[in-house]
Amino acid sequence: MARSNDEIAALLQEYADLISITGGDAFRTRTYEKAARSIGGYHTDVSKLDAKGLQEIPNVGKSTAEKILEYFSTGTVSAIEKLRAKIPAGVRQLTAIPTLGPKKALVLYEELGISTTEELAEAIHEERLRDLKGFGPKTEENILHGIDLLKSSGDRVLIDVAMSLAEDIVAEMSQVTGCMRCAYAGSLRRLRETIGDIDILVAAKKAAPIMRAFTELPYVSEVIAQGEKKTSIRTDKGLQVDLRVVPPDSWGAAMQYFTGSKAHNIRTREMAVHKKLKLSEYGLFDTETGDKIVSKTEEDVYARLGLPWIPPTLREDRGEIEAGLRDELPELIQEKDIRGDLHTHTDLTDGLAPLEEMVAAAAERGYAYYAVTDHGPDMAMQRMTDERILAQRARVRELDREHGGMRVLHGAELNIDPDGGVDWPPEFLADFDLCVASVHSHFNQDRDALTRRIVKACENPHVHIIGHPTTRLIGKRPAIDVDLDAVFAACARTGTALEINSHPDRLDLRDEDILRAKRHGVKFAVDSDAHAVIHLAYLRYGVGTAQRGWLTKDDVINTWSLTRLRRFLDKG
């Protein structure tokens, strides 16, 4: 199930947008945006808090707390309903387009009568937006990008949303009498960045009780189809979940069949045919006699096809079959291999938790080292100064001594400016343990300028990691137009690592880009970019993306010992 915190965060963000659309006070808009971020990153389930508990959350005041309690009590918030009623449905539909702000959406509706993405795309192609103030060719291009992003995301959800729901269902179904095994499969098991629907498998001798229990789960809003072998439901959040029940001795074959991508499964079925076998969710069968040969484990199925067991994250038909036949599958990085997190934030800048809480939470995860990397002063909104960062460094050094089992490193996330420069002069940067450098602005520079900008940052001896390299936000903002191969070559040449940002909104680099970068000899850092304690756990998604990029722990610098890591950080 989606966390109540995420539900409330989305509601408050919508309220902030509605205030902005209706010309409300910018300070109020910002207030609710801050509250949304704080609640989304808060460790306690807000549905279990009273007014006093809610107001202990950073940026949540009395008025916000009252709205949250009203929502949990009635299912609605009257203030939000009143603003919704003032906004034409068409405007609210347009605000779903990434890159199109609420005020521009209102202008399009009032001036041109545009209320759908189709009408907007048509108006852009007819160049009807160019007479409007604030709209030009570049704006049109950005909006079309946004429309494409919206269409491509469709009904898909981010991996953390799907994972939370799937793990809840697996836990619930595992308690049902007669359920012998239960797991999720499909694209979620392959850890794809977005999920269309969730596949759940159950091994049981009798399917009917299992199917009945599935349709009675508390978050089921609709039973789409129900049968002996498969039942599909839609949750109250609109996500489809398909349950399949198979005989216990077919478990391995079913997991293999329902996990692989379509392309991977075509290849394995072809291999079966060449061996005069038939592969299905029930097992591997002799085509002449119909006898079942193997079915109980995935390992048995793959072995009979002449292959080693192939990790789910590789089952995309991107060379894993050939590598398996040559016995050259990589020993993929695992979450347990991560020895530290090298990109995190505190409430000194845009994080939600104080330094001490973040460090304590990292220590609980068993890390050997942990880096705090708050934003530099070039992002003015973060209010960073030399004095504040030096005071933080002094406290980091104290915590480093206090946490004997975990080294605490002091770093910074630097902003790569339009010319490739970064915050602070070299002599100041030299005293940080490590620096992450990221693009946070001027996304619309041309390809050559963006490429030069990042390459120059790589060449800076005080920049160790390029953070979220393409700046994309999945379904919200496209990747910048940069020559990635030139960036990969520069990273390999200068000894600069590329980040795999684990935040579910980013997962940047993408798995396809990781594969290309690895061929250049690049090293990587799998980081959480945590802005709250609960975000530290996002690392699992970054590791999954690293696996999809065929990375081993030798490719990832934060699986290394601190001694080896420090040698890497000494770019000189």
Side-chain angles (χ1 to χ4, degrees):
M1 288 286 288
R3 296 171 62 241
S4 297
N5 299 44
D6 297 331
E7 192 174 346
I8 295 299
L11 190 71
L12 294 178
Q13 182 58 56
E14 181 190 0
Y15 191 38
D17 290 341
L18 291 171
I19 293 170
S20 179
I21 293 173
T22 53
D25 181 59
F27 176 76
R28 283 188 73 219
T29 299
R30 185 67 178 147
T31 295
Y32 284 103
E33 286 176 343
K34 286 182 176 179
R37 285 191 63 252
S38 294
I39 288 170
Y42 199 60
H43 54 85
T44 300
D45 185 342
V46 293
S47 68
K48 303 184 185 307
L49 299 178
D50 58 14
K52 181 180 179 182
L54 288 169
Q55 289 179 71
E56 291 175 357
I57 302 173
N59 302 310
V60 175
K62 180 181 177 183
S63 178
T64 304
E66 288 173 349
K67 289 179 176 63
I68 295 170
L69 292 174
E70 180 186 355
Y71 178 77
F72 285 126
S73 174
T74 68
T76 62
V77 178
S78 57
I80 296 177
E81 292 302 320
K82 287 178 183 177
L83 282 187
R84 282 174 175 168
K86 291 182 179 180
I87 309 299
V91 177
R92 286 164 58 194
Q93 182 180 348
L94 292 179
T95 59
I97 300 172
T99 74
L100 182 64
K103 291 183 178 178
K104 276 189 165 62
L106 187 60
V107 169
L108 290 169
Y109 180 83
E110 292 180 340
E111 297 293 329
L112 299 177
I114 294 172
S115 61
T116 68
T117 55
E118 292 78 11
E119 291 172 351
L120 180 52
E122 183 180 345
I124 290 173
H125 292 308
E126 293 174 356
E127 300 185 356
R128 287 193 282 128
L129 272 59
R130 298 190 180 184
D131 293 333
L132 301 178
K133 184 178 179 181
F135 290 83
K138 194 64 180 177
T139 305
E140 293 173 343
E141 183 182 332
N142 290 338
I143 293 173
L144 288 174
H145 268 306
I147 292 173
D148 288 341
L149 283 171
L150 186 63
K151 288 179 177 177
S152 65
S153 61
D155 295 327
R156 301 183 73 83
V157 298
L158 297 179
I159 188 172
D160 62 320
V161 175
M163 186 67 76
S164 176
L165 176 59
E167 290 180 337
D168 275 355
I169 292 174
V170 168
E172 293 260 12
M173 297 305 298
S174 296
Q175 300 303 312
V176 175
T177 301
C179 175
M180 301 176 70
R181 300 185 74 168
C182 183
Y184 56 81
S187 57
L188 182 60
R189 189 173 176 225
R190 301 200 310 276
L191 295 177
R192 286 197 60 183
E193 61 195 34
T194 61
I195 309 300
D197 51 46
I198 296 172
D199 295 297
I200 303 290
L201 294 184
V202 165
K205 293 180 179 178
K206 295 182 179 180
I210 305 296
M211 297 299 191
R212 184 169 57 252
F214 180 57
T215 61
E216 293 173 353
L217 290 173
Y219 29 85
V220 175
S221 65
E222 176 188 3
V223 178
I224 301 170
Q226 187 169 3
E228 293 182 9
K229 298 178 181 178
K230 176 184 175 183
T231 293
S232 298
I233 59 98
R234 196 175 308 282
T235 71
D236 51 8
K237 301 303 178 189
L239 194 58
Q240 180 172 325
V241 185
D242 299 328
L243 171 70
R244 292 175 175 86
V245 179
V246 298
D249 70 348
S250 293
W251 178 257
M255 285 295 285
Q256 192 281 329
Y257 189 88
F258 289 114
T259 293
S261 69
K262 180 179 179 180
H264 176 87
N265 286 352
I266 288 173
R267 294 292 305 279
T268 54
R269 287 200 295 270
E270 287 175 345
M271 294 179 74
V273 169
H274 289 149
K275 294 177 179 291
K276 300 187 183 306
L277 302 171
K278 178 185 177 182
L279 179 61
S280 76
E281 64 266 45
Y282 297 106
L284 197 56
F285 298 86
D286 187 300
T287 53
E288 292 183 1
T289 66
D291 293 341
K292 182 188 290 186
I293 299 179
V294 291
S295 63
K296 289 186 178 180
T297 71
E298 286 190 312
E299 288 84 353
D300 289 343
V301 173
Y302 278 113
R304 187 62 181 80
L305 294 174
L307 291 165
W309 179 79
I310 297 177
T313 45
L314 297 188
R315 299 181 198 178
E316 298 286 355
D317 192 26
R318 295 196 291 207
E320 72 277 7
I321 299 291
E322 292 77 10
L325 291 170
R326 298 192 303 269
D327 198 25
E328 293 178 0
L329 284 171
E331 188 174 338
L332 297 177
I333 181 175
Q334 305 295 320
E335 189 174 359
K336 63 182 176 58
D337 296 325
I338 299 292
R339 296 194 182 188
D341 200 333
L342 302 180
H343 181 181
T344 68
H345 297 273
T346 75
D347 61 359
L348 183 63
T349 54
D350 60 346
L352 301 174
L355 171 66
E356 291 78 6
E357 286 186 17
M358 295 297 289
V359 170
E364 287 179 9
R365 292 178 65 84
Y367 288 150
Y369 45 83
Y370 174 76
V372 177
T373 55
D374 276 314
H375 290 284
D378 283 1
M379 292 186 71
M381 69 182 73
Q382 305 302 346
R383 308 178 309 283
M384 181 58 76
T385 64
D386 293 4
E387 292 74 22
R388 295 182 81 202
I389 199 71
L390 290 175
Q392 184 187 65
R393 180 175 298 159
R395 182 60 181 138
V396 165
R397 299 302 182 227
E398 291 175 1
L399 290 171
D400 182 44
R401 290 190 291 272
E402 292 172 14
H403 286 270
M406 180 183 77
R407 300 307 305 270
V408 186
L409 308 178
H410 191 232
E413 184 179 13
L414 309 174
N415 184 55
I416 304 174
D417 70 26
D419 296 319
V422 296
D423 318 61
W424 289 305
E427 59 273 15
F428 196 89
L429 292 175
D431 291 329
F432 286 102
D433 294 316
L434 80 159
C435 291
V436 179
S438 311
V439 171
H440 290 112
S441 63
H442 300 83
F443 303 123
N444 295 327
Q445 285 182 305
D446 65 44
R447 182 180 178 85
D448 289 343
L450 281 166
T451 303
R452 285 195 301 272
R453 180 179 175 184
I454 299 177
V455 167
K456 183 177 178 181
C458 293
E459 292 170 343
N460 187 318
H462 302 294
V463 169
H464 306 104
I465 301 167
I466 300 297
H468 44 76
T470 75
T471 80
R472 73 162 182 172
L473 293 174
I474 299 172
K476 299 176 183 177
R477 185 172 69 208
I480 53 176
D481 183 16
V482 63
D483 182 348
L484 284 176
D485 286 302
V487 171
F488 299 158
C491 285
R493 172 171 53 83
T494 61
T496 307
L498 282 170
E499 180 177 71
I500 300 171
N501 189 294
S502 301
H503 196 291
D505 282 344
R506 291 188 183 274
L507 295 180
D508 181 12
L509 285 173
R510 302 180 310 152
D511 52 359
E512 297 95 329
D513 298 331
I514 295 168
L515 283 163
R516 286 167 54 198
K518 180 173 179 174
R519 296 186 192 109
H520 283 269
V522 173
K523 296 300 182 184
F524 303 83
V526 180
D527 299 322
S528 70
D529 193 4
H531 285 65
V533 167
I534 64 170
H535 296 167
L536 292 170
Y538 284 160
L539 210 66
R540 65 187 296 196
Y541 304 121
V543 170
T545 302
Q547 290 179 347
R548 290 177 58 82
W550 292 55
L551 297 190
T552 68
K553 63 182 182 181
D554 191 58
D555 297 312
V556 178
I557 65 173
N558 50 320
T559 68
W560 300 350
S561 68
L562 183 60
T563 300
R564 184 181 177 190
L565 175 64
R566 286 194 185 280
R567 284 201 301 267
F568 179 86
L569 297 176
D570 182 12
K571 289 177 70 172

